[in-house]
Amino acid sequence: PAAGSHADAETVTVRVRPPRPLSRARPARPLAPMGVSVAGLGAWWLVAHNSGAGWVQALGDVVFGMLVVGIVGPALVLARARIRVVAAPTDGTAGMPVEVGVEATTRLRVRPAYPPGPDSLVGPVGRHRPPDGSVTLLPARRGVFDTITLDIATAAPFALQWWTRRVVVPLPSTLYVAPRRGQPIALPRHGQERADESVRRVSADTGEPRGARPYRAGDHRRHVHWRATAHAGELMVREQEQPSGEPVRVEVVLPADLDAAERLAERAVGTVMLLLDRGASVVLATIEPDGPVHAAVADRRAVGRRLARAVGLPGAMAQEANGDRSAHDDDRHPPMKAIAIRP
């Protein structure tokens, strides 16, 4: 795993290093086509040598030239091929397909290497360029991607031999792959609840209403002011005079092991989303490559992006990280209680 930094201790990212790009094209399984070509040319040479006919020898030269072009030509085509990503989403979920739009200067077979994915054919066909092709990514783990690694291949012009090359292609925008929503941890019940009662939804609207304002990304759906929305013709939300209740601080410390970190991140998503669905305000505390981060989250996208950037701590450092604070602390919302999710 790649290394980052965290205060006085070393942090370890939970993302796998992308495969190293190969600048030169290489043949894919060359033994079969090259062996067949050598055997065919050998048989042709024997026939031409025994018959003595000039036209047989001339035809053999033509066949030899076509075989050379068919076997070596794709390397030249691939060396001049260019591919770029023209459209990509900003958010995805581990284990779910992510479609990115690509353009290529020639017809190529594309296989995503990091994140992985199935083969796709992209690029123009003949003289007519079809609509922009797409490549499907199937990220197995959470992470943040500014580039994707692709294995591009071609067998043009005669489809006798495939040549392949690995390239790193930048994305037009950063792709945040969030962990799946897993089973939440057991949350404490409120004092007014009995053991046989279902979990009570707690409203976060404790402040005095100050008015209505246009909706902004991250506003909770419970704050939508429908009467003001109908009057203004756009989505409006209630604006509170006081903060919407004391937030719950959820502290997430991931281990260095990739599989364990993924499972813990999934439980963290489930726990935070359960709190948000109850109507509580949540301050999520994670450790990123630049250090600890404590900030409020309001929806699934914000939770997924924070956990996509989170890194793991090696060894016993993960046991002591929950007490750390940083300059990113949100002191305007002192937490009512803390919920620790750690190894």
Side-chain angles (χ1 to χ4, degrees):
S5 62
H6 164 248
D8 298 328
E10 180 187 7
T11 58
V12 176
T13 63
V14 295
R15 289 177 287 167
V16 180
R17 283 187 185 274
R20 296 183 61 184
L22 302 177
S23 57
R24 296 182 180 179
R26 66 187 189 279
R29 300 179 180 178
L31 295 181
M34 291 185 179
V36 171
S37 299
V38 170
L41 289 175
W44 197 288
W45 180 85
L46 289 176
V47 172
H49 180 73
N50 294 329
S51 66
W55 68 270
V56 177
Q57 297 180 10
L59 187 58
D61 294 338
V62 174
V63 173
F64 174 77
M66 294 181 64
L67 290 176
V68 170
V69 172
I71 292 175
V72 182
L76 303 178
V77 175
L78 192 62
R80 300 185 59 183
R82 297 292 181 269
I83 186 171
R84 67 187 185 100
V85 177
V86 296
T90 56
D91 295 276
T93 303
M96 301 298 292
V98 177
E99 298 285 341
V100 297
V102 298
E103 283 185 353
T105 56
T106 187
R107 191 69 171 171
L108 297 172
R109 184 185 68 190
V110 179
R111 174 180 299 169
Y114 181 76
D119 292 354
S120 302
L121 292 176
V122 301
V125 178
R127 296 181 178 179
H128 304 285
R129 178 178 292 274
D132 294 340
S134 63
V135 173
T136 302
L137 308 177
L138 290 173
R141 304 181 189 277
R142 64 189 181 88
V144 181
F145 300 89
D146 294 314
T147 62
I148 59 175
T149 304
L150 305 175
D151 288 334
I152 59 175
T154 183
F158 301 139
L160 295 179
Q161 171 64 52
W162 283 93
W163 287 71
T164 183
R165 182 164 62 99
R166 179 163 289 174
V167 295
V168 176
V169 184
L171 294 174
S173 59
T174 302
L175 171 62
Y176 297 89
V177 177
R180 304 175 184 88
R181 180 170 180 173
Q183 185 69 24
I185 66 173
L187 298 176
R189 294 179 180 272
H190 303 285
Q192 297 88 345
E193 293 179 331
R194 297 197 307 267
D196 57 346
E197 290 180 336
S198 61
V199 177
R200 180 172 60 90
R201 296 180 65 91
V202 180
S203 175
D205 303 329
T206 59
E208 295 294 332
R210 187 170 63 183
R213 60 170 175 79
Y215 172 85
R216 292 195 296 262
D219 289 334
H220 200 280
R221 61 178 180 271
R222 293 174 58 88
H223 299 165
V224 175
H225 196 305
W226 295 112
R227 183 173 298 178
T229 298
H231 179 75
E234 62 176 328
L235 194 60
M236 306 289 288
V237 296
R238 297 183 182 90
E239 192 168 21
Q240 305 299 125
E241 190 71 32
Q242 300 293 334
S244 57
E246 294 182 347
V248 179
R249 183 167 180 250
V250 179
E251 301 171 336
V252 181
V253 180
L254 300 176
D257 180 74
L258 296 177
D259 294 331
E262 194 71 19
R263 292 191 298 267
L264 199 66
E266 292 173 2
R267 297 202 70 184
V269 173
T271 303
V272 175
M273 291 308 301
L274 178 59
L275 290 170
L276 293 177
D277 290 341
R278 288 183 177 184
S281 299
V282 177
V283 172
L284 181 60
T286 58
I287 300 173
E288 298 186 5
D290 295 332
V293 176
H294 305 255
V297 290
D299 54 18
R300 177 70 169 86
R301 174 179 294 183
V303 176
R305 289 188 175 186
R306 288 286 306 283
L307 290 173
R309 294 194 298 264
V311 298
L313 288 178
M317 300 174 186
Q319 303 298 329
E320 303 176 357
N322 284 316
D324 294 344
R325 302 286 292 182
S326 74
H328 297 279
D329 289 358
D330 193 349
D331 296 329
R332 295 173 301 172
H333 303 285
M336 177 180 64
K337 59 182 178 179
I339 299 174
I341 304 177
R342 56 182 176 178

